[in-house]
Short mmCIF file of all heavy atoms in Angstrom, two decimals:
data_model
loop_
_atom_site.label_atom_id
_atom_site.label_comp_id
_atom_site.label_asym_id
_atom_site.label_seq_id
_atom_site.Cartn_x
_atom_site.Cartn_y
_atom_site.Cartn_z
N GLN H 1 14.86 71.07 -55.36
CA GLN H 1 14.81 71.54 -53.97
C GLN H 1 13.55 71.08 -53.25
O GLN H 1 13.55 70.93 -52.02
CB GLN H 1 14.91 73.08 -53.94
CG GLN H 1 16.28 73.60 -54.35
CD GLN H 1 16.33 75.11 -54.50
OE1 GLN H 1 15.29 75.77 -54.68
NE2 GLN H 1 17.53 75.67 -54.44
N ARG H 2 12.48 70.83 -54.01
CA ARG H 2 11.25 70.30 -53.42
C ARG H 2 11.31 68.78 -53.23
O ARG H 2 10.37 68.16 -52.73
CB ARG H 2 10.05 70.63 -54.31
CG ARG H 2 9.70 72.11 -54.39
CD ARG H 2 8.34 72.31 -55.04
NE ARG H 2 8.28 71.82 -56.40
CZ ARG H 2 8.53 72.55 -57.50
NH1 ARG H 2 8.88 73.83 -57.37
NH2 ARG H 2 8.43 72.00 -58.69
N GLY H 3 12.42 68.17 -53.65
CA GLY H 3 12.56 66.73 -53.50
C GLY H 3 11.96 65.93 -54.63
O GLY H 3 11.70 64.73 -54.47
N GLU H 4 11.75 66.55 -55.78
CA GLU H 4 11.14 65.85 -56.90
C GLU H 4 12.18 65.17 -57.79
O GLU H 4 13.34 65.60 -57.86
CB GLU H 4 10.34 66.84 -57.75
CG GLU H 4 9.17 67.47 -57.02
CD GLU H 4 8.40 68.45 -57.88
OE1 GLU H 4 8.66 68.51 -59.10
OE2 GLU H 4 7.54 69.17 -57.33
N LEU H 5 11.76 64.13 -58.45
CA LEU H 5 12.54 63.52 -59.51
C LEU H 5 12.23 64.30 -60.78
O LEU H 5 11.07 64.51 -61.12
CB LEU H 5 12.14 62.05 -59.70
CG LEU H 5 12.83 61.27 -60.81
CD1 LEU H 5 14.32 61.18 -60.57
CD2 LEU H 5 12.22 59.87 -60.93
N VAL H 6 13.25 64.75 -61.48
CA VAL H 6 13.07 65.56 -62.69
C VAL H 6 13.40 64.73 -63.92
O VAL H 6 14.48 64.12 -64.00
CB VAL H 6 13.94 66.83 -62.65
CG1 VAL H 6 13.87 67.57 -63.99
CG2 VAL H 6 13.50 67.75 -61.52
N ILE H 7 12.48 64.70 -64.86
CA ILE H 7 12.67 64.01 -66.14
C ILE H 7 12.82 65.07 -67.23
O ILE H 7 11.94 65.92 -67.39
CB ILE H 7 11.48 63.09 -66.48
CG1 ILE H 7 11.12 62.18 -65.30
CG2 ILE H 7 11.77 62.29 -67.74
CD1 ILE H 7 12.22 61.26 -64.88
N LEU H 8 13.92 65.01 -67.97
CA LEU H 8 14.14 65.95 -69.06
C LEU H 8 14.06 65.22 -70.40
O LEU H 8 14.77 64.24 -70.61
CB LEU H 8 15.51 66.63 -68.93
CG LEU H 8 15.70 67.56 -67.74
CD1 LEU H 8 17.11 68.17 -67.79
CD2 LEU H 8 14.65 68.66 -67.72
N ASP H 9 13.18 65.70 -71.26
CA ASP H 9 13.07 65.19 -72.63
C ASP H 9 14.08 65.99 -73.46
O ASP H 9 13.78 67.07 -73.94
CB ASP H 9 11.64 65.40 -73.12
CG ASP H 9 11.40 64.81 -74.50
OD1 ASP H 9 12.39 64.49 -75.19
OD2 ASP H 9 10.24 64.69 -74.89
N ARG H 10 15.27 65.46 -73.54
CA ARG H 10 16.47 66.06 -74.12
C ARG H 10 17.11 67.04 -73.15
O ARG H 10 16.46 67.61 -72.28
CB ARG H 10 16.21 66.76 -75.46
CG ARG H 10 15.81 65.82 -76.58
CD ARG H 10 16.12 66.42 -77.95
NE ARG H 10 15.68 65.55 -79.02
CZ ARG H 10 16.34 64.48 -79.46
NH1 ARG H 10 17.47 64.14 -78.89
NH2 ARG H 10 15.84 63.74 -80.44
N SER H 11 18.43 67.21 -73.35
CA SER H 11 19.17 68.21 -72.60
C SER H 11 20.52 68.42 -73.29
O SER H 11 20.62 68.30 -74.51
CB SER H 11 19.34 67.80 -71.13
OG SER H 11 19.85 68.88 -70.37
N TYR H 12 21.56 68.68 -72.49
CA TYR H 12 22.83 69.09 -73.07
C TYR H 12 23.47 68.08 -74.04
O TYR H 12 24.20 68.51 -74.96
CB TYR H 12 23.84 69.45 -71.96
CG TYR H 12 24.33 68.29 -71.16
CD1 TYR H 12 25.41 67.52 -71.59
CD2 TYR H 12 23.74 67.96 -69.95
CE1 TYR H 12 25.86 66.44 -70.85
CE2 TYR H 12 24.19 66.90 -69.20
CZ TYR H 12 25.25 66.14 -69.65
OH TYR H 12 25.70 65.07 -68.91
N PRO H 13 23.25 66.74 -73.90
CA PRO H 13 23.87 65.85 -74.89
C PRO H 13 23.49 66.20 -76.33
O PRO H 13 24.31 66.06 -77.24
CB PRO H 13 23.36 64.46 -74.48
CG PRO H 13 23.17 64.58 -73.00
CD PRO H 13 22.60 65.96 -72.82
N SER H 14 22.25 66.65 -76.54
CA SER H 14 21.83 67.03 -77.89
C SER H 14 22.64 68.22 -78.41
O SER H 14 22.97 68.28 -79.60
CB SER H 14 20.34 67.38 -77.91
OG SER H 14 19.54 66.25 -77.74
N THR H 15 22.95 69.17 -77.51
CA THR H 15 23.74 70.33 -77.93
C THR H 15 25.11 69.90 -78.41
O THR H 15 25.62 70.41 -79.41
CB THR H 15 23.87 71.33 -76.76
OG1 THR H 15 22.56 71.70 -76.31
CG2 THR H 15 24.63 72.58 -77.19
N PHE H 16 25.72 68.95 -77.71
CA PHE H 16 27.02 68.43 -78.14
C PHE H 16 26.88 67.65 -79.45
O PHE H 16 27.68 67.82 -80.37
CB PHE H 16 27.62 67.53 -77.06
CG PHE H 16 28.23 68.28 -75.91
CD1 PHE H 16 27.45 68.69 -74.84
CD2 PHE H 16 29.58 68.60 -75.90
CE1 PHE H 16 28.00 69.38 -73.77
CE2 PHE H 16 30.15 69.30 -74.85
CZ PHE H 16 29.37 69.69 -73.77
N ALA H 17 25.88 66.79 -79.53
CA ALA H 17 25.72 65.93 -80.70
C ALA H 17 25.49 66.72 -81.98
O ALA H 17 25.94 66.33 -83.06
CB ALA H 17 24.58 64.94 -80.49
N TYR H 18 24.80 67.87 -81.86
CA TYR H 18 24.48 68.66 -83.04
C TYR H 18 25.50 69.78 -83.27
O TYR H 18 25.26 70.67 -84.09
CB TYR H 18 23.07 69.23 -82.91
CG TYR H 18 21.99 68.20 -83.13
CD1 TYR H 18 21.61 67.32 -82.11
CD2 TYR H 18 21.35 68.06 -84.36
CE1 TYR H 18 20.64 66.36 -82.31
CE2 TYR H 18 20.38 67.10 -84.57
CZ TYR H 18 20.03 66.25 -83.54
OH TYR H 18 19.07 65.29 -83.75
N SER H 19 26.64 69.70 -82.58
CA SER H 19 27.70 70.69 -82.75
C SER H 19 28.99 69.98 -83.17
O SER H 19 29.26 68.85 -82.73
CB SER H 19 27.96 71.44 -81.42
OG SER H 19 26.81 72.13 -81.00
N PRO H 20 29.82 70.62 -83.99
CA PRO H 20 31.10 70.03 -84.39
C PRO H 20 31.97 69.77 -83.16
O PRO H 20 31.95 70.55 -82.20
CB PRO H 20 31.73 71.11 -85.28
CG PRO H 20 30.60 71.97 -85.71
CD PRO H 20 29.60 71.95 -84.60
N GLU H 21 32.74 68.69 -83.19
CA GLU H 21 33.54 68.34 -82.02
C GLU H 21 34.58 69.41 -81.68
O GLU H 21 34.99 69.52 -80.52
CB GLU H 21 34.20 66.98 -82.22
CG GLU H 21 33.20 65.83 -82.17
CD GLU H 21 33.84 64.46 -82.20
OE1 GLU H 21 34.85 64.25 -81.48
OE2 GLU H 21 33.36 63.59 -82.95
N GLU H 22 34.99 70.19 -82.68
CA GLU H 22 35.94 71.27 -82.39
C GLU H 22 35.32 72.36 -81.51
O GLU H 22 36.05 73.18 -80.93
CB GLU H 22 36.50 71.88 -83.67
CG GLU H 22 35.48 72.41 -84.64
CD GLU H 22 35.11 71.41 -85.73
OE1 GLU H 22 35.17 70.19 -85.46
OE2 GLU H 22 34.79 71.85 -86.85
N ASP H 23 34.00 72.38 -81.41
CA ASP H 23 33.32 73.35 -80.54
C ASP H 23 33.07 72.80 -79.13
O ASP H 23 32.59 73.54 -78.25
CB ASP H 23 31.97 73.76 -81.14
CG ASP H 23 32.12 74.69 -82.33
OD1 ASP H 23 33.23 75.18 -82.56
OD2 ASP H 23 31.12 74.92 -83.03
N TRP H 24 33.36 71.54 -78.91
CA TRP H 24 32.97 70.91 -77.65
C TRP H 24 33.64 71.53 -76.43
O TRP H 24 33.03 71.61 -75.37
CB TRP H 24 33.24 69.41 -77.70
CG TRP H 24 32.20 68.66 -78.47
CD1 TRP H 24 31.27 69.18 -79.33
CD2 TRP H 24 31.98 67.25 -78.46
NE1 TRP H 24 30.49 68.18 -79.86
CE2 TRP H 24 30.90 66.99 -79.35
CE3 TRP H 24 32.59 66.19 -77.81
CZ2 TRP H 24 30.43 65.70 -79.58
CZ3 TRP H 24 32.12 64.90 -78.04
CH2 TRP H 24 31.05 64.66 -78.91
N ASP H 25 34.89 71.97 -76.56
CA ASP H 25 35.60 72.53 -75.39
C ASP H 25 34.89 73.76 -74.85
O ASP H 25 34.63 73.87 -73.65
CB ASP H 25 37.05 72.87 -75.74
CG ASP H 25 37.94 71.64 -75.76
OD1 ASP H 25 37.51 70.57 -75.27
OD2 ASP H 25 39.08 71.73 -76.27
N TRP H 26 34.54 74.69 -75.75
CA TRP H 26 33.90 75.91 -75.25
C TRP H 26 32.45 75.64 -74.80
O TRP H 26 31.97 76.25 -73.85
CB TRP H 26 33.97 77.06 -76.25
CG TRP H 26 33.12 76.98 -77.49
CD1 TRP H 26 33.52 76.64 -78.74
CD2 TRP H 26 31.71 77.28 -77.59
NE1 TRP H 26 32.45 76.70 -79.63
CE2 TRP H 26 31.34 77.10 -78.95
CE3 TRP H 26 30.74 77.70 -76.69
CZ2 TRP H 26 30.04 77.31 -79.41
CZ3 TRP H 26 29.44 77.90 -77.14
CH2 TRP H 26 29.10 77.71 -78.48
N ILE H 27 31.79 74.70 -75.48
CA ILE H 27 30.44 74.34 -75.05
C ILE H 27 30.49 73.74 -73.64
O ILE H 27 29.66 74.07 -72.78
CB ILE H 27 29.79 73.36 -76.04
CG1 ILE H 27 29.51 74.07 -77.38
CG2 ILE H 27 28.49 72.78 -75.48
CD1 ILE H 27 29.03 73.15 -78.48
N TYR H 28 31.46 72.89 -73.40
CA TYR H 28 31.62 72.30 -72.07
C TYR H 28 31.91 73.39 -71.04
O TYR H 28 31.31 73.41 -69.95
CB TYR H 28 32.76 71.28 -72.08
CG TYR H 28 33.02 70.65 -70.73
CD1 TYR H 28 32.37 69.48 -70.35
CD2 TYR H 28 33.91 71.24 -69.83
CE1 TYR H 28 32.59 68.91 -69.11
CE2 TYR H 28 34.13 70.67 -68.58
CZ TYR H 28 33.48 69.51 -68.23
OH TYR H 28 33.69 68.97 -66.99
N ASN H 29 32.81 74.29 -71.37
CA ASN H 29 33.19 75.34 -70.42
C ASN H 29 32.02 76.25 -70.08
O ASN H 29 31.86 76.68 -68.93
CB ASN H 29 34.35 76.16 -70.98
CG ASN H 29 35.65 75.38 -71.03
OD1 ASN H 29 35.83 74.42 -70.27
ND2 ASN H 29 36.56 75.77 -71.91
N VAL H 30 31.17 76.56 -71.08
CA VAL H 30 30.01 77.41 -70.81
C VAL H 30 29.03 76.69 -69.89
O VAL H 30 28.52 77.27 -68.92
CB VAL H 30 29.32 77.84 -72.12
CG1 VAL H 30 28.00 78.54 -71.83
CG2 VAL H 30 30.24 78.76 -72.93
N HIS H 31 28.77 75.42 -70.17
CA HIS H 31 27.88 74.65 -69.29
C HIS H 31 28.42 74.59 -67.86
O HIS H 31 27.68 74.78 -66.89
CB HIS H 31 27.71 73.22 -69.83
CG HIS H 31 26.68 73.08 -70.90
ND1 HIS H 31 26.94 73.34 -72.22
CD2 HIS H 31 25.38 72.70 -70.84
CE1 HIS H 31 25.84 73.13 -72.94
NE2 HIS H 31 24.89 72.75 -72.13
N GLU H 32 29.72 74.33 -67.76
CA GLU H 32 30.32 74.22 -66.44
C GLU H 32 30.26 75.57 -65.72
O GLU H 32 29.94 75.64 -64.52
CB GLU H 32 31.77 73.74 -66.56
CG GLU H 32 32.43 73.43 -65.23
CD GLU H 32 33.80 72.82 -65.42
OE1 GLU H 32 34.59 73.37 -66.21
OE2 GLU H 32 34.09 71.80 -64.77
N GLY H 33 30.56 76.64 -66.44
CA GLY H 33 30.53 77.97 -65.84
C GLY H 33 29.15 78.38 -65.38
O GLY H 33 29.01 79.12 -64.39
N LEU H 34 28.12 77.91 -66.07
CA LEU H 34 26.74 78.23 -65.70
C LEU H 34 26.15 77.27 -64.67
O LEU H 34 25.00 77.40 -64.28
CB LEU H 34 25.85 78.24 -66.95
CG LEU H 34 26.12 79.36 -67.96
CD1 LEU H 34 25.29 79.14 -69.23
CD2 LEU H 34 25.82 80.73 -67.36
N GLY H 35 26.95 76.30 -64.26
CA GLY H 35 26.48 75.35 -63.25
C GLY H 35 25.54 74.29 -63.77
O GLY H 35 24.83 73.64 -62.99
N LEU H 36 25.54 74.05 -65.08
CA LEU H 36 24.57 73.12 -65.68
C LEU H 36 24.99 71.66 -65.53
O LEU H 36 24.22 70.76 -65.91
CB LEU H 36 24.35 73.48 -67.14
CG LEU H 36 23.68 74.84 -67.37
CD1 LEU H 36 23.67 75.22 -68.84
CD2 LEU H 36 22.25 74.83 -66.82
N PHE H 37 26.20 71.41 -65.02
CA PHE H 37 26.62 70.04 -64.73
C PHE H 37 26.58 69.75 -63.23
O PHE H 37 26.95 68.65 -62.81
CB PHE H 37 28.05 69.79 -65.23
CG PHE H 37 28.20 69.81 -66.73
CD1 PHE H 37 29.35 70.33 -67.31
CD2 PHE H 37 27.23 69.27 -67.55
CE1 PHE H 37 29.51 70.34 -68.68
CE2 PHE H 37 27.37 69.27 -68.93
CZ PHE H 37 28.52 69.80 -69.50
N ASP H 38 26.15 70.71 -62.43
CA ASP H 38 26.28 70.59 -60.98
C ASP H 38 25.32 69.57 -60.37
O ASP H 38 25.65 68.91 -59.38
CB ASP H 38 26.06 71.95 -60.30
CG ASP H 38 27.20 72.93 -60.57
OD1 ASP H 38 28.21 72.50 -61.15
OD2 ASP H 38 27.05 74.11 -60.20
N LEU H 39 24.12 69.45 -60.93
CA LEU H 39 23.11 68.58 -60.33
C LEU H 39 23.34 67.12 -60.75
O LEU H 39 23.61 66.85 -61.93
CB LEU H 39 21.71 69.02 -60.74
CG LEU H 39 21.30 70.42 -60.25
CD1 LEU H 39 19.94 70.79 -60.84
CD2 LEU H 39 21.24 70.47 -58.73
N PRO H 40 23.23 66.16 -59.82
CA PRO H 40 23.38 64.75 -60.18
C PRO H 40 22.37 64.34 -61.25
O PRO H 40 21.20 64.69 -61.16
CB PRO H 40 23.11 64.02 -58.86
CG PRO H 40 23.34 65.04 -57.80
CD PRO H 40 22.94 66.35 -58.40
N HIS H 41 22.83 63.61 -62.24
CA HIS H 41 21.93 63.21 -63.31
C HIS H 41 22.41 61.92 -63.97
O HIS H 41 23.57 61.55 -63.89
CB HIS H 41 21.80 64.32 -64.36
CG HIS H 41 23.09 64.67 -65.04
ND1 HIS H 41 24.04 65.48 -64.46
CD2 HIS H 41 23.58 64.33 -66.26
CE1 HIS H 41 25.07 65.63 -65.29
NE2 HIS H 41 24.81 64.93 -66.38
N LYS H 42 21.46 61.25 -64.60
CA LYS H 42 21.71 60.04 -65.37
C LYS H 42 21.12 60.24 -66.77
O LYS H 42 20.19 61.03 -66.94
CB LYS H 42 21.07 58.83 -64.70
CG LYS H 42 21.60 58.56 -63.29
CD LYS H 42 20.69 57.62 -62.52
CE LYS H 42 20.67 56.24 -63.09
NZ LYS H 42 19.92 55.29 -62.23
N ILE H 43 21.66 59.52 -67.74
CA ILE H 43 21.21 59.68 -69.12
C ILE H 43 20.75 58.33 -69.66
O ILE H 43 21.45 57.33 -69.55
CB ILE H 43 22.33 60.23 -70.02
CG1 ILE H 43 22.76 61.61 -69.55
CG2 ILE H 43 21.88 60.27 -71.49
CD1 ILE H 43 24.02 62.12 -70.24
#
């Protein structure tokens, strides 16, 4: 909101990578429900 570029040293991809793929659907849904995919980002 202040107009800054934000650099994250790790984020949600690590949560997926360190979780079994059978858990990915609910992990995705929780992130989406919490608005954690809403902000534009690059990896």
Side-chain angles (χ1 to χ4, degrees):
Q1 291 172 340
R2 293 192 299 268
E4 296 180 10
L5 178 62
V6 173
I7 310 299
L8 293 181
D9 185 345
R10 294 204 183 280
S11 190
Y12 70 85
S14 290
T15 303
F16 283 86
Y18 286 81
S19 299
E21 289 187 45
E22 56 264 30
D23 286 349
W24 282 16
D25 281 347
W26 71 258
I27 292 173
Y28 179 90
N29 290 336
V30 172
H31 277 83
E32 187 174 48
L34 292 173
L36 294 172
F37 293 144
D38 290 353
L39 296 174
H41 61 281
K42 300 164 66 173
I43 298 170

